[in-house]
Amino acid sequence: MATEVLQTQVIQKAWEDASFREKLMADPKSAIRDVLGVVIPDHIQIKTVEETPDQFYLVIPPDPSGVLAASQKPRSQW
């Protein structure tokens, strides 16, 4: 599953289900696994934050020059 699709599904579920949102805040990997059946590898860390109307979080991704060598192709999974 592509990261963007998973992210959209998680956000939609959190908007619709308060108990899922609570679990997502406390233990995101378990919440995602239990509801969507997606197992996120141990080496991946997830931090869940909830924006408010007067807050915005800007996520700066890793520098692509240090992530993939020119000969490597990106994979669509985690």
Side-chain angles (χ1 to χ4, degrees):
M1 176 179 300
T3 304
E4 295 83 16
V5 173
L6 177 61
Q7 183 177 2
T8 300
Q9 289 179 342
V10 169
I11 291 168
Q12 186 67 41
K13 181 68 175 171
W15 285 339
E16 297 169 352
D17 184 343
S19 64
F20 173 72
R21 183 174 54 247
E22 288 176 19
K23 186 168 185 178
L24 186 64
M25 296 298 292
D27 187 356
K29 285 186 180 184
S30 292
I32 293 168
R33 182 191 65 232
D34 294 349
V35 172
L36 299 174
V38 176
V39 177
I40 299 178
D42 289 338
H43 72 279
I44 301 293
Q45 294 180 11
I46 298 179
K47 294 182 182 181
T48 305
V49 295
E50 188 171 10
E51 291 181 353
T52 64
D54 61 345
Q55 291 177 322
F56 177 77
Y57 293 93
L58 179 61
V59 178
I60 301 171
D63 181 352
S65 65
V67 176
L68 294 176
S71 63
Q72 292 179 313
K73 293 182 181 180
R75 294 185 290 173
S76 63
Q77 61 183 357
W78 291 25

